[in-house]
Amino acid sequence: MLGKGFAVSAVVALLVSTAPAFAASSGGELKPFSLSTDGPFGRFDAAQVQRGYKVYREVCSACHSMNLLSFRNLGQPDGPFFDAKYKNPNDNAFVKAIAKDYNINDIDTETGDVVQRPGTPADRFPNPYPNEYAARAGNGGALPPDLSVITKAREGGPAYIYSLLTGYHDVPRGLEVPAGKYYNPYMPGDLSSFWSGDKDKVPAGGFIAMAPPLVADKVSFDDGTKSTLEQQASDVVAFLDWAAEPKAGERKRTGFAVLIYLALFAGLLYASYRRVWKGVKH
Amino acid sequence: MSGHSTYEPKTGFTRWLDSRLPIIRLGYDSFVDYPTPKNLNYWYTFGGILSLCLMTQIITGIILAMHYVPHVDHAFNSVEHIMRDVNHGWLIRYVHANGASMFLFAVYMHMFRGLYYGSYKAPREVLWILGCVIYLLMMATAFMGYVLPWGQMSFHGAVVITNLLGAFPVVGESITTWLWGGFAVDNPTLNRFFSLHFLMPFMIAGVVILHVWALHVTGQNNPSGIDPKSKEDTVPFTPYATVKDGFAMVLFLILFSVFVFFQPNALGHADNYIPANPLVTPAHIVPEWYFLPFYAILRAVPDKLGGALLMFGAIGVLFVLPWLDTSKVKSLRYRPTARVFFFLFVLTCLILGWCGGELPDKMVFQVGATAAGDPIGLNFVWLSRIASAYYFAYFLIVMPVLGLVETPDAVPDSITASILDHSAEKKGLAHAG
Ligand code: HEM
């Protein structure tokens, strides 16, 4: 019969079908990686995201833009530098100081000349390069992607970025690496035409035009955290994951309230249903 | 079933209005006093759920359209602006994006329900066909909506699908040029897709009205497939159906919320968070899950035109279904053999969905290898060929032939009698188990 059991299995099938079924990347199996924000009960670790911002600021931002981010985002609720004292993140003293460190291109409205002025919280993170051509020219022809939504834009998300950053590997013997490229077992790609070894044992992964950006002690953390490669990588991934969806905390909190409300409402409706249909054989 | 109206206006104003525009009477007759078979099960709640979905898509869509910019240079960022800067924009967008999936999930449940209980059979042919029209419009709407955020999958999906139409002889090229508004998928395409994506849900709403009208002329089918014979067989829509539909809607909203609040991107594809770039083709172009079975049928045929025809045929065949089924008995509850073929059909649809998401040359299972090292076994393209064959055979062979040769179980005299039979059968099963 087309009964309740079948309805339940249909729902289960829908849920299962959402499991990342399309593992298209031919890169190696990702390293285990978790963030404090994972899962419905995850908590935001402001200290970690602050450290991650420092890694981005001091390392990645030399090549990668984050066009969708403004300095004010750093000081909004669930942001790394949120301070309950400042309802309006544009007033946040810390955020103001961060922004002021940057020189932002602007137009002098009196003369029409291009000028530079100190940044304000309302400014976007500036681009490291004036345009795409300059970015390619500075990176051997490769374009460093914008990192604003990068953890959502890659299969595997944060675990993939973490594996990529910490996964640079000695080049296997028999693999010829083109000039300006680096071997990374987590980068999707097909290495068979660069491989002179056993045809059935082509190494996993691909080539990437980004030199290993992180090494131990590259960034010194103000809170005394030991600056290992893994620490820097997980912190910067935490920052990138926050940046990809700054409203994720609000989303989960709202979700709990909604689910509790719906559960109570469902209970109430079920009771009404039993009452209304009492005595009607169906 | 429409019977005569029992509505009595109680106040001066409603009496005045009733003799000028009997709209309250219409609502009362349709959703309060309307007699519904009392044996409707939860599979019958998806109709109400679908109305809820349509309303949700329209309301969230209109709000999205206030902030969205249909231009290749701004579309992606305007969606991110909605996610980041618009108050509760993340909620509106995630409800809309996941709502499309929930909507199509509900419509599939609704359609399988119709197939199982024979709801497409006389006198409900027009009702069924109107449903098929809604389904077609929904697919077109969802496809165009998916193009709007202008990510990598949006763009390359649009290229793949619009190119299919180009495979048609004579008119193909004109159709694609017209759809694109030029010679490739570009800004004019995005603009017209936005316009059409805005329009179509209202067309759907129009067809829904016809669908409900047709429903209220013939009356609802029910799990027994027997038409109500006496007042004993039915209950008034309100409160009986309203409370049951309401309960099911809230359960549906719980599932919906789990996706929106905790897994909002699980049904989407990571590549769509990369801004569209015509020069870089994603390694693996896959449509949204609800199109996967049709995508598998498309790729099962080595010829582009043949594939496109078969894919559209897979939907087209639904329109003539009422005349393909030769059985005199509506509900599969009384057709044990047909039931087996039906469940095989459901399984086939799931298998086609699975094939649609995998690369055609990938192996489902491997039994060995040739001397040259090529794998021997079943790959996905062959699995989708087998499944497509059954998909069409179910409609074109099983349905016409089985109705003539099978021996159905005895059909009870009335809905009330069927309820007694059914609960006795359930008890029997419980004892046996
Ligand atoms: C039958 C009902 C509808 C369906 C099935 C549907 C489906 C979709 C889908 C699948 C998307 C892409 C979601 C994403 O990945 O971001 C989308 C986006 C969009 N839709 Fe709809 N939609 C419907 C109704 C409407 C209506 C009535 C409007 C406006 C009046 C609308 C406006 C928009 C806008 C502006 C976007 C782009 C923003 C975005 O991508 O989130 N939609 N729709």
Side-chain angles (χ1 to χ4, degrees), chain B residues 54 57-58 61-62 64-65 68 79 93 96-97 100 103 138 141-142 145-146 148-149 194 197-198 201-202 204 272 290:
Chain B
L54 179 61
Q57 290 307 96
I58 290 183
I62 287 176
L64 286 174
Y68 171 78
V79 172
R93 168 164 189 247
H96 194 80
F103 199 173
M138 273 172 70
T141 309
Y146 194 63
L148 302 185
F194 177 53
H197 182 73
F198 204 128
F202 296 93
I204 295 177
N272 227 27
Y290 37 81

Side-chain angles (χ1 to χ4, degrees), chain B residues 57-68 82 86-87 89 92:
Chain B
Q57 290 307 96
I58 290 183
I59 292 169
T60 51
I62 287 176
I63 300 172
L64 286 174
M66 294 173 186
H67 305 279
Y68 171 78
I82 293 171
V86 174
N87 289 332
I92 303 290

Side-chain angles (χ1 to χ4, degrees), chain B residues 353-429:
Chain B
W354 182 33
C355 293
E358 299 285 349
L359 290 170
D361 290 333
K362 199 174 146 189
M363 301 306 285
V364 185
F365 59 80
Q366 189 172 346
V367 289
T370 62
D374 292 328
I376 302 175
L378 183 69
N379 62 11
F380 276 98
V381 79
W382 274 102
L383 183 61
S384 37
R385 283 176 188 159
I386 297 168
S388 308
Y390 183 72
Y391 181 98
F392 283 100
Y394 180 67
F395 292 113
L396 300 176
I397 301 171
V398 175
M399 286 229 168
V401 174
L402 197 61
L404 302 176
V405 301
E406 77 182 338
T407 326
D409 292 348
V411 179
D413 291 334
S414 69
I415 292 179
T416 307
S418 83
I419 293 168
L420 296 176
D421 281 5
H422 196 51
S423 47
E425 189 184 308
K426 260 197 194 156
K427 283 215 185 75
L429 277 180

Side-chain angles (χ1 to χ4, degrees), chain A residues 41-58:
Chain A
F41 300 99
R43 270 188 52 259
F44 182 71
D45 183 349
Q48 184 180 31
V49 178
Q50 289 176 7
R51 291 195 300 273
Y53 171 68
K54 193 162 188 213
V55 178
Y56 170 73
R57 167 81 169 100
E58 292 182 5

Side-chain angles (χ1 to χ4, degrees), chain A residues 76-100:
Chain A
Q76 73 192 24
D78 295 322
F81 299 105
F82 173 64
D83 186 339
K85 255 199 328 225
Y86 305 104
K87 272 235 170 71
N88 179 349
N90 291 300
D91 301 334
N92 184 310
F94 205 85
V95 172
K96 275 180 165 164
I98 289 175
K100 230 163 104 189

Side-chain angles (χ1 to χ4, degrees), chain B residues 2-21:
Chain B
S2 9
H4 80 107
S5 177
T6 58
Y7 171 67
E8 271 174 39
K10 300 228 163 56
T11 68
F13 171 71
T14 49
R15 262 194 301 277
W16 178 86
L17 185 65
D18 195 51
S19 54
R20 286 161 179 80
L21 179 71

